[in-house]
């Protein structure tokens, strides 16, 4: 049974993606003991302790919607971005052994990891919303398309950042560490734990330069149309950032693929 | 057939571009030829193998692979530590487009590697010998026209080595081989032709004995 003499580049790429996806899914879900359980537990705990804090300071509503829903939805949207970008950033380093096969390129590992993480987060989101419904939260979105569009935008931004940062982290470990340090305040600046809409001017406009703010508030607005979102909410702005980062990332990947493999 | 045309290669170091490793290599490797690649440490043997294997690109010049060329075998690469032997084997089958007859090939690999139930344990629990047995079994499971090997034959214990050498023999009777080895006996056993790498340039010898003689001469010079 002779191997196909020449496969088209597309066939090869698809075969590589499939193989990588199965390989990544195995280690992500079963790599450590009950790894799949921790994937879910982490956001659950995160929401839970934020809810405790908000209960202690007696904030029942934020921007017109119930605090638990506001927190949960915003955090899930943020995780969609953060986990995708974090996983993608480490993709090249963790798959170094596989670049002996010339069919496998660094960019393949980044794309597959971000894709897998997006799928994982969709499942986590559904499960957490179902859990919220058990506690009497109104978890059915009023505008499902807006929610999906915003979540997709957050994922795309994560992918774009992951494409860029995986190159930086692989070629200069110091750069990677610096990037992680710079990203840390994003959690505070994205409006996960406090409503950006309540920040006084001119600081609010400055914070609104962060595309994550738009994604987060769009998701919340999709769940509850009476939510007081930040003025000038613009999902297109999130997508512009995402597209620029994705394009830049792909260019970096093409230009520097060789140097990431051989060191 | 593999054509190497005017290939230059240097690596980036932390202090800018490094010295030239290969300085204008011109080679035509005919089909079904067994070639030994020799040269002193750092002469660029592994570099040339990587370039021929397509996992790295030359800085200048180009390489044409007009046949199916294997990945560079040996040196511990190509195995993911967190996955089991079987999962690794599946991965390699998939990227080489053998989704349809995967079961047969996995069986073949399992049998040849003879790892017993360790085949279903993560590779990180393997000993060095077990790893190279798996790698060797993997490389035998696919039909390539040219195999490239970086010190691959010296794997495992005596019994396995015996089996591996026989299989290797059969393999190179039907396909070409480009191998790097420091063992003179290994080279004489498997190769007919030779390439001597010296100071960034390559010299072709139709007879491996001549290549080895020239190599020894270059060491004294």
């Amino acid at each position: 049974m002779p191997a196909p003499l020449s496969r088209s580049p597309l066939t090869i790429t698809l075969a590589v993606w499939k193989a990588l996806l199965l390989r990544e899914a195995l280690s992500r879900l079963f790599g450590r003991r009950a790894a799949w359980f921790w994937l879910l537990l982490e956001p659950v705990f995160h929401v839970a302790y934020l809810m405790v804090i908000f209960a202690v300071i007696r904030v029942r509503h934020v921007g017109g919607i119930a605090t638990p829903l506001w927190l949960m939805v915003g955090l899930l949207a943020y995780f969609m971005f953060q986990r995708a970008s974090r996983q993608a950033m480490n993709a090249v380093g963790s798959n170094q052994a596989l670049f002996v096969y010339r069919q496998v390129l660094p960019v393949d590992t980044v794309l597959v990891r971000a894709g897998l993480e997006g799928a994982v987060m969709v499942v986590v989101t559904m499960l957490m919303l179902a859990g919220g419904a058990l506690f009497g939260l109104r978890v059915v979105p009023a505008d499902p398309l807006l929610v999906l569009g915003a979540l997709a935008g957050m994922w795309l931004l994560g992918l774009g950042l992951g494409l860029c940062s995986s190159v930086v982290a692989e070629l200069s470990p110091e750069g990677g560490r610096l990037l992680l340090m710079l990203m840390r305040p994003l959690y505070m600046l994205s409006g996960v734990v406090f409503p950006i809409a309540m920040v006084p001017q001119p600081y609010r406009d400055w914070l609104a330069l962060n595309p994550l703010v738009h994604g987060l508030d769009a998701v919340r607005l999709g769940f509850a149309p009476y939510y007081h979102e930040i003025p000038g909410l613009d999902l297109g702005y999130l997508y512009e950032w995402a597209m620029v980062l994705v394009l830049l990332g792909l260019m970096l990947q093409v230009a520097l693929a060789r140097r990431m493999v051989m060191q | 057939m593999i054509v190497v045309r005017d290939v230059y290669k240097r690596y980036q170091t932390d202090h800018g571009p490094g010295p030239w490793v290969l300085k204008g290599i011109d080679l035509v490797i005919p089909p079904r030829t067994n070639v030994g690649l020799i040269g002193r440490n750092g002469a660029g043997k592994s570099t040339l193998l990587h370039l021929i294997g397509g996992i790295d690109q030359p800085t200048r010049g180009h390489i044409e692979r007009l046949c199916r060329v294997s990945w560079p075998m040996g040196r511990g690469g190509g195995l993911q530590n967190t996955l089991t032997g079987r999962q690794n084997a599946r991965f390699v089958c998939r990227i080489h487009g053998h989704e349809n007859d995967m079961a047969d090939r996995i069986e073949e690999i399992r049998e040849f590697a003879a790892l017993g139930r360790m085949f279903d344990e993560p590779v990180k629990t393997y000993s060095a010998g077990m790893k190279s047995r798996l790698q060797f079994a993997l490389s035998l499971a696919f039909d390539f026209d040219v195999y490239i090997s970086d010190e691959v034959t010296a794997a495992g214990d005596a019994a396995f080595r015996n089996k591996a050498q026989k299989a290797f023999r059969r393999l190179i009777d039907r396909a070409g081989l480009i191998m790097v080895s420091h063992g003179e006996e290994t080279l004489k056993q498997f190769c007919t032709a030779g390439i001597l790498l010296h100071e960034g340039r390559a010299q072709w010898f139709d007879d491996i004995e001549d290549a080895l003689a020239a190599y020894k001469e270059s060491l004294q010079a």
Side-chain angles (χ1 to χ4, degrees), chain A residues 7 10-20, chain B residues 94-97:
Chain A
R7 295 180 287 159
L10 184 67
T11 321
I12 296 176
T13 303
L14 289 179
V16 167
W17 283 0
K18 184 175 178 195
L20 277 174
Chain B
R94 285 200 182 97
I95 62 169
H96 284 93

Side-chain angles (χ1 to χ4, degrees), chain A residues 1-5 7 12 15-16 18-20 22-23 26-27 31 94-104 258-259 261-262, chain B residues 9 11-12 50 53-57 65 68-72 77-80 83 87 91-92 94-99 101 105 143:
Chain A
M1 45 196 157
L5 236 184
R7 295 180 287 159
I12 296 176
V16 167
K18 184 175 178 195
L20 277 174
L22 291 166
R23 168 248 173 290
L26 271 176
S27 17
S94 347
N95 286 298
Q96 203 70 39
L98 301 178
F99 298 133
V100 203
Y101 309 108
R102 65 176 166 277
Q103 292 86 351
V104 185
R258 199 202 301 169
R259 288 182 56 186
V261 174
M262 296 308 300
Chain B
K9 178 69 187 176
Y11 291 100
Q12 290 294 322
H50 283 154
I55 58 171
D56 198 2
Q57 304 292 320
R65 285 183 297 276
R68 290 168 303 181
V69 180
S70 79
W71 67 88
L79 295 178
Q80 189 75 41
L83 300 186
Q87 287 162 349
F91 180 86
V92 181
R94 285 200 182 97
I95 62 169
H96 284 93
H98 289 292
E99 193 85 35
D101 53 351
R105 281 174 201 268
D143 307 309

Side-chain angles (χ1 to χ4, degrees), chain B residues 150-192:
Chain B
D150 202 340
E151 307 258 20
V152 83
T153 45
D157 50 32
F160 183 80
R161 211 150 52 214
N162 214 344
K163 180 166 83 163
Q165 282 199 346
K166 279 191 193 134
F168 209 61
R169 194 72 256 175
R170 275 202 303 280
L171 182 107
I172 59 178
D173 282 344
R174 63 174 169 78
L177 169 75
I178 305 172
M179 91 184 299
V180 165
S181 177
H182 281 288
E184 202 172 307
E185 283 312 307
T186 317
L187 286 167
K188 280 184 191 164
Q189 191 184 351
F190 293 114
C191 304
T192 48

